[in-house]
Amino acid sequence: MSTRIEIEGLHRMLAGQMVLDNIDLVVQPGELAALLGPSGSGKTTLLRMIAGLDRPDRGAVRFDGEDVLARPARERGVGFVFQHYALFRHMTVARNIGFGLAVRKVPRGRIEEKVSALLKLVQLEFLGGRYPAQLSGGQRQRVALARALAIEPRVLLLDEPFGALDAVVRRDLRRWLRRLHREMHITTVFVTHDQEEAFELADRVVVMNGGRIRQSGAPMQLYRRPVDPFVCRFLGEANEIPCRIENGFVIADAGFLLGRAEMGTGGGIAYVRPHQIALRPNEAGDWRVAELTAGGAMSRVGVARDGLSLEASLASERALALGLQAGMGVEVEIAGGMVMGDAADAPVTLLPAPHRDRPLLTERKIEKDEKEEPSFSEEKEAKRLLSVIRTYDSSRDFERRDKNR
């Protein structure tokens, strides 16, 4: 049966510096949770305290309701996998895997049976007689994981388990570990500073910075709805556009319409992911393609107007079909994003602006964890919005003509 981990009010100071600041966290039974953050954010210290390798100044760590802080590491039933494997060089693969069982005085026959099963589980059944120096990095990491699993731990902890491996091996091991977790269903917590790794592996991502948890949730929930600028930037690239919210519209400080908002008023910053920007060739458009970089399956397109530069990303085949080239005119459409700042107490969703050449969308995809929001498809609302946009665009045209006189 899987173990529930509860962390309450965990606090740690080291050399006068705050390392963990009142950490509260629950990892559900069988969950695969990622502690994600930059170096020095406190994620490895938190992992070590769960394992019993470090002690907090105050707070509690509970496994299924039992406070385990008074227990030494060897009695907590924790399997720990280190970034650099920590294998014994003088021992064979089989002896490394069985080391924890030997320390616990498990009979030799039982150890051999368990090691044989684990070698098969980690797909190294023919390498039990080799030494760590004779293995690849990926194979060593599998041996380290098998050793952690040998003691049948209640909880599995991994400290940047793929950090020392090259990109291809990391990708393959991530997928393998995810499949293994589905089979064994052990409550697992791993540390990483790699956003892609966390998103691919974890059921839940815990973003840390400065010894605090900034946000915790399902990977795509965090990506789509970050609670603050740090989380938004750390989880992926974003265009940052100074703006203001007026009468339900989000207007860039540079003077053009970004989209709509259902709440808020005043200034802020719109955070728009590159993939949330749509481009349409139009020589009469206000935007110009500043640069175009093809990067395999995806291309990056830099566009600029009125001193503002944005970066969009789209499939390379789509960029080719549109005939995008440096210097050509384009229309830019913002398909989503978040507005943060003085405009509202909490981040505000940036909704697409209605386009004068097409009707407003009558439906909007509702995410599982969202409540249904009021529809903007009513005919009167559509007419009002389009009227405001035309008035706004007309005023901009007058400004341009005045400048040209």
Side-chain angles (χ1 to χ4, degrees):
M1 186 174 177
S2 300
T3 299
R4 173 185 167 96
I5 303 173
E6 299 173 68
I7 296 166
E8 182 181 351
L10 220 57
H11 185 276
R12 186 71 164 108
M13 294 281 291
L14 283 174
Q17 182 178 358
M18 182 77 69
V19 180
L20 292 178
D21 186 8
N22 200 37
I23 296 292
D24 293 317
L25 177 66
V26 174
V27 182
Q28 297 296 343
E31 190 172 38
L32 180 55
L35 303 180
L36 175 66
S39 298
S41 60
K43 53 190 187 295
T44 295
T45 301
L46 177 56
L47 195 76
R48 289 173 60 85
M49 288 185 180
I50 297 172
L53 302 177
D54 196 355
R55 287 188 60 84
D57 299 320
R58 63 173 182 268
V61 177
R62 302 186 186 95
F63 289 177
D64 288 334
E66 176 195 357
D67 194 337
V68 297
L69 280 181
R71 289 192 174 198
R74 66 179 179 276
E75 295 180 8
R76 293 192 186 186
V78 169
F80 202 103
V81 179
F82 297 90
Q83 178 178 352
H84 296 290
Y85 325 127
L87 299 178
F88 298 110
R89 296 180 181 180
H90 66 287
M91 292 184 181
T92 63
V93 166
R95 288 187 62 201
N96 265 285
I97 294 174
F99 178 78
L101 299 174
V103 169
R104 288 165 173 78
K105 308 297 184 182
V106 175
R108 180 177 297 180
R110 174 61 181 149
I111 292 176
E112 291 176 355
E113 180 183 335
K114 187 70 175 179
V115 168
S116 178
L118 285 167
L119 282 170
K120 185 175 182 180
L121 180 69
V122 298
Q123 301 170 0
L124 296 175
E125 52 263 55
F126 302 112
L127 301 181
R130 291 192 183 183
Y131 289 87
Q134 297 172 312
L135 304 178
S136 68
Q139 289 170 336
R140 292 178 199 172
Q141 194 60 283
R142 292 189 188 206
V143 173
L145 183 57
R147 182 178 61 184
L149 294 173
I151 62 170
E152 298 182 1
R154 301 170 66 184
V155 172
L156 181 62
L157 306 177
L158 305 98
D159 187 9
E160 303 215 32
F162 313 122
L165 305 173
D166 63 60
V168 175
V169 176
R170 279 204 309 270
R171 181 196 63 202
D172 292 342
L173 272 181
R174 285 199 302 260
R175 295 172 181 173
W176 173 79
L177 180 59
R178 184 66 196 175
R179 290 194 299 270
L180 183 66
H181 180 264
R182 282 198 294 265
E183 292 176 16
M184 305 194 71
H185 209 61
I186 296 176
T187 304
T188 303
V189 182
F190 74 98
V191 162
T192 182
H193 60 268
D194 186 327
Q195 173 254 344
E196 181 182 348
E197 186 171 287
F199 275 37
E200 184 173 345
L201 269 175
D203 301 311
R204 184 153 58 96
V205 175
V206 181
V207 179
M208 298 184 65
N209 190 41
R212 296 181 179 182
I213 293 176
R214 303 294 287 265
Q215 189 173 0
S216 174
M220 290 314 296
Q221 176 192 352
L222 269 62
Y223 187 75
R224 292 172 178 165
R225 294 186 174 278
V227 297
D228 60 34
F230 170 80
V231 175
C232 183
R233 295 186 190 109
F234 194 77
L235 294 184
E237 298 179 47
N239 295 283
E240 300 183 22
I241 310 170
C243 64
R244 63 189 184 278
I245 299 177
E246 295 181 3
N247 300 319
F249 290 96
V250 183
I251 303 168
D253 287 357
F256 58 90
L257 185 67
L258 286 175
R260 297 177 287 126
E262 296 181 358
M263 63 180 71
T265 184
I269 302 290
Y271 294 85
V272 180
R273 305 283 188 197
H275 74 269
Q276 293 175 316
I277 298 177
L279 305 176
R280 291 189 292 182
N282 183 351
E283 280 304 319
D286 292 321
W287 295 85
R288 294 284 157 181
V289 175
E291 60 179 344
L292 176 63
T293 305
M298 300 297 293
S299 291
R300 295 181 174 275
V301 184
V303 295
R305 67 167 282 183
D306 299 334
L308 178 67
S309 297
L310 301 179
E311 185 174 273
S313 66
L314 68 165
S316 294
E317 290 185 3
R318 175 63 176 163
L320 187 62
L322 291 174
L324 295 178
Q325 298 179 18
M328 73 182 298
V330 292
E331 292 182 21
V332 169
E333 193 169 331
I334 307 296
M338 303 293 290
V339 178
M340 305 182 201
D342 298 333
D345 294 334
V348 175
T349 300
L350 175 61
L351 302 173
H355 196 281
R356 72 187 73 181
D357 297 327
R358 70 171 190 272
L360 286 169
L361 295 176
T362 56
E363 294 183 355
R364 191 173 69 83
K365 184 177 180 181
I366 305 297
E367 296 183 28
K368 292 180 181 178
D369 59 343
E370 291 184 53
K371 294 181 179 178
E372 187 166 350
E373 299 177 7
S375 171
F376 276 80
S377 60
E378 291 86 351
E379 184 177 357
K380 289 183 180 179
E381 181 66 9
K383 288 181 179 179
R384 184 187 75 80
L385 292 173
L386 290 171
S387 175
V388 172
I389 291 172
R390 291 186 180 113
T391 302
Y392 178 77
D393 286 347
S394 295
S395 67
R396 293 287 291 166
D397 290 339
F398 280 122
E399 290 177 12
R400 291 193 187 98
R401 283 199 289 270
D402 288 341
K403 288 180 181 178
N404 293 332
R405 285 177 182 172

